[in-house]
Amino acid sequence: MDIADQIKTIEDELSRLNVTLIAVSKTKSNEEILEAYHAGQRAFGENVVQELVRKQETLPKDIEWHLIGHLQSNKVKYVVPFVAMIHSADSLKLLKEIDKQAKKYNREVDCLLQIHVAAEETKFGLDHVELIELLRSEAFIQLTNVRIRGLMGIATNTPNTKEIKEEFHELKSLFDGIKASFFQDDEYFDTLSMGMSSDYKIAIEQGSTMVRLGSTIFGGR
Ligand SMILES: *Cc1c(COP(=O)(O)O)cnc(C)c1O
């Protein structure tokens, strides 16, 4: 199937389930992104700041750009002017910098807190204790231009579906617990970004509201 057909098929499946599709376009050309765009897709995800900025400058302005990869504080200023959502906020230091830059542009930036759920050491993200500490800290409470929309996580890259299911289940439980304790009256805390091409069906069963699909849409990288 070509990119447009793939977008339509997946969007049809996801919209019935009330799950938002982020088309992960990292390493893909503007032409490939435009194929998805012309099929109606508007939300795209990139993981490298330089590539994200280049694509934002050269592609239609009504694209919603999601940063899904690790973000260094010194690069925050390049994405804050336009980014729709940062999925990978994983420290107070980073949130403070996003807040500072967002003030300059007089905007609020939607962020997800990235949680470490995978068994692999290399994946970024906060553990449960760090998350609670962050949410309770005075510096966090004082952020005015960062809007926490929910949590994001990446499951272990494994064929063991039971393990993946457990990790997503854990993340969903954490999401519900955090929402009840810290964001009860906050209508914006509504997003649980979990699921990639290999595991999005499991993620949706476990309560994902947003999936990030690359190879399923655009083919392998
Ligand atoms: C690359 C990437 C994806 C998409 O991966 P696919 O397996 O191609 O669907 C999703 N999330 C993050 C954080 C990524 O870096």
Short mmCIF file of all heavy atoms in Angstrom, two decimals, residues 24 40 45 51 59 79 102 105 119 185 193 203 205 218:
data_model
loop_
_atom_site.label_atom_id
_atom_site.label_comp_id
_atom_site.label_asym_id
_atom_site.label_seq_id
_atom_site.Cartn_x
_atom_site.Cartn_y
_atom_site.Cartn_z
N VAL A 24 4.99 9.50 12.28
CA VAL A 24 6.41 9.75 12.58
C VAL A 24 7.21 9.77 11.27
O VAL A 24 7.39 8.75 10.61
CB VAL A 24 6.95 8.69 13.56
CG1 VAL A 24 8.45 8.89 13.78
CG2 VAL A 24 6.22 8.78 14.89
N GLY A 40 -4.72 13.91 4.15
CA GLY A 40 -5.46 14.49 5.27
C GLY A 40 -4.71 14.52 6.59
O GLY A 40 -5.20 15.07 7.57
N GLY A 45 5.45 13.63 13.65
CA GLY A 45 6.42 13.55 14.74
C GLY A 45 7.83 13.41 14.22
O GLY A 45 8.09 12.67 13.27
N GLU A 51 16.37 18.48 12.08
CA GLU A 51 15.51 17.97 11.00
C GLU A 51 14.09 18.52 11.13
O GLU A 51 13.44 18.89 10.14
CB GLU A 51 15.51 16.43 11.07
CG GLU A 51 14.77 15.74 9.95
CD GLU A 51 14.87 14.21 10.06
OE1 GLU A 51 15.70 13.70 10.84
OE2 GLU A 51 14.09 13.54 9.35
N LEU A 59 7.66 23.01 4.83
CA LEU A 59 6.40 22.31 4.58
C LEU A 59 5.20 23.17 5.01
O LEU A 59 5.40 24.21 5.64
CB LEU A 59 6.42 20.96 5.33
CG LEU A 59 7.28 19.89 4.62
CD1 LEU A 59 7.68 18.78 5.58
CD2 LEU A 59 6.55 19.32 3.40
N VAL A 79 12.66 25.10 18.86
CA VAL A 79 11.37 24.44 18.61
C VAL A 79 10.18 25.15 19.26
O VAL A 79 9.05 25.05 18.76
CB VAL A 79 11.38 22.95 19.05
CG1 VAL A 79 12.41 22.17 18.26
CG2 VAL A 79 11.60 22.77 20.54
N ALA A 102 9.09 29.82 26.18
CA ALA A 102 7.67 30.00 25.86
C ALA A 102 7.19 31.40 26.25
O ALA A 102 6.38 32.01 25.56
CB ALA A 102 6.84 28.93 26.54
N TYR A 105 7.83 34.00 23.65
CA TYR A 105 6.92 33.96 22.50
C TYR A 105 5.48 34.11 22.94
O TYR A 105 4.57 33.97 22.14
CB TYR A 105 7.11 32.65 21.71
CG TYR A 105 8.47 32.62 21.05
CD1 TYR A 105 9.56 32.03 21.69
CD2 TYR A 105 8.67 33.21 19.81
CE1 TYR A 105 10.81 32.02 21.11
CE2 TYR A 105 9.92 33.21 19.21
CZ TYR A 105 10.98 32.61 19.87
OH TYR A 105 12.22 32.62 19.28
N ALA A 119 12.51 -2.05 29.98
CA ALA A 119 13.59 -2.72 30.71
C ALA A 119 14.95 -2.19 30.28
O ALA A 119 15.91 -2.25 31.03
CB ALA A 119 13.50 -4.22 30.47
N ASP A 185 -8.68 18.63 38.42
CA ASP A 185 -9.57 19.63 37.83
C ASP A 185 -8.96 20.24 36.57
O ASP A 185 -9.36 21.31 36.13
CB ASP A 185 -9.85 20.74 38.85
CG ASP A 185 -10.49 20.18 40.10
OD1 ASP A 185 -11.37 19.32 39.96
OD2 ASP A 185 -10.07 20.58 41.21
N SER A 193 0.46 9.13 25.47
CA SER A 193 1.13 8.81 24.20
C SER A 193 1.92 7.52 24.37
O SER A 193 2.99 7.51 24.96
CB SER A 193 2.06 9.98 23.82
OG SER A 193 2.92 9.65 22.76
N ALA A 203 -0.92 -1.22 22.92
CA ALA A 203 -1.00 0.07 23.63
C ALA A 203 -2.45 0.56 23.69
O ALA A 203 -2.90 1.04 24.74
CB ALA A 203 -0.11 1.10 22.95
N GLU A 205 -5.21 -1.25 23.50
CA GLU A 205 -5.94 -2.11 24.46
C GLU A 205 -5.71 -1.68 25.90
O GLU A 205 -6.57 -1.81 26.75
CB GLU A 205 -5.43 -3.56 24.36
CG GLU A 205 -6.06 -4.40 23.28
CD GLU A 205 -5.27 -5.71 23.08
OE1 GLU A 205 -4.54 -6.15 24.02
OE2 GLU A 205 -5.37 -6.26 21.98
N PHE A 218 5.03 4.90 6.56
CA PHE A 218 5.98 5.31 5.53
C PHE A 218 6.87 4.18 5.02
O PHE A 218 7.69 4.39 4.13
CB PHE A 218 6.90 6.42 6.08
CG PHE A 218 6.18 7.72 6.39
CD1 PHE A 218 5.89 8.07 7.68
CD2 PHE A 218 5.81 8.57 5.36
CE1 PHE A 218 5.24 9.27 7.98
CE2 PHE A 218 5.15 9.76 5.63
CZ PHE A 218 4.87 10.11 6.94
#
